[in-house]
């Protein structure tokens, strides 16, 4: 994933795509920050799973900023945030649809043997292990709760 981001940055620089260059530089800086934090904990460089989590966090931050700009009647800043989101999303696996998410959750419940809301953590862990980056955990939680009778 690091290599993909570096190649995309090089191409964006050649194409003189300012938004793309700025966004990818921010992504690289965030990855380097994570590497430094990992070093302090005695871990290796961030792996693809950590980078994926980091990118998802960056998208969530930009979605919140875009919402605030929309509410504040700042369409030019909202558009910039939405553009950054699209650039970052290119490096993540495609998100599952609502229908696919429901099917995956049902499979997770069956495979983990979850029987009640108390077992929700097992299902969430299973989802993170098998569908990291493809399922929005914030949306998955209520679906799991409903399916487990909560």
């Amino acid at each position: 994933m690091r290599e993909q981001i570096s190649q995309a940055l090089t191409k964006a620089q050649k194409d003189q795509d300012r938004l793309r260059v700025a966004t990818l530089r921010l992504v690289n800086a965030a990855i380097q920050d994570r590497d430094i934090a990992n070093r302090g904990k005695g871990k290796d460089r961030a792996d693809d799973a950590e980078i994926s989590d980091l990118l998802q966090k960056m998208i969530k931050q930009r979605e919140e900023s875009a919402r605030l700009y929309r509410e504040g009647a700042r369409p030019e800043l909202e558009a910039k945030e939405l553009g950054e989101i699209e650039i970052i999303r290119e490096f993540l696996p495609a998100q599952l649809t609502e229908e696919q998410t429901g099917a995956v959750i049902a499979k997770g419940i069956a495979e983990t043997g979850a029987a009640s809301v108390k077992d929700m953590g097992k299902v969430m862990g299973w989802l993170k292990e098998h569908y990291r980056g493809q399922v929005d955990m914030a949306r998955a939680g209520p679906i799991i709760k409903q399916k487990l009778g909560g």
Side-chain angles (χ1 to χ4, degrees):
M1 193 176 282
R2 284 173 195 270
E3 187 61 31
Q4 280 180 301
I5 294 168
S6 293
Q7 288 173 357
L9 177 58
T10 302
K11 184 179 181 331
Q13 287 170 327
K14 287 178 184 175
D15 295 344
Q16 296 183 357
D17 184 340
R18 287 184 177 167
L19 177 63
R20 195 168 178 77
V21 168
T23 303
L24 294 173
R25 282 184 175 158
L26 285 172
V27 169
N28 273 338
I31 292 170
Q32 288 175 344
D33 286 347
R34 179 64 57 95
D35 288 343
I36 290 167
N38 281 355
R39 236 182 291 146
K41 296 175 186 173
K43 296 182 180 177
D44 292 333
R45 292 176 13 155
D47 59 10
D48 281 353
E50 281 182 278
I51 293 171
S52 177
D53 289 345
L54 184 66
L55 295 178
Q56 286 179 325
K57 183 179 176 185
M58 292 177 81
I59 288 172
K60 293 256 188 261
Q61 291 168 338
R62 279 154 184 77
E63 286 172 342
E64 178 64 17
S65 294
R67 183 185 63 78
L68 292 172
Y69 289 138
R70 187 175 329 108
E71 290 171 3
R74 298 293 307 266
E76 71 284 357
L77 294 174
E78 177 189 5
K80 180 181 179 287
E81 295 293 329
L82 295 175
E84 288 181 4
I85 289 170
E86 291 307 310
I87 292 167
I88 295 169
R89 271 208 178 109
E90 292 174 21
F91 301 98
L92 291 172
Q95 291 282 305
L96 297 178
T97 64
E98 290 286 329
E99 186 177 294
Q100 292 169 326
T101 299
V104 164
I105 288 171
K107 182 179 176 185
I109 289 170
E111 288 197 17
T112 59
S116 71
V117 178
K118 292 179 182 177
D119 299 324
M120 196 167 154
K122 288 182 192 176
V123 180
M124 292 291 269
W126 184 89
L127 282 174
K128 285 181 182 175
E129 182 181 334
H130 293 91
Y131 292 92
R132 174 176 244 121
Q134 294 178 290
V135 174
D136 182 349
M137 292 300 169
R139 284 193 282 159
I143 297 170
I144 295 169
K145 201 175 210 178
Q146 177 203 351
K147 288 186 182 274
L148 292 175

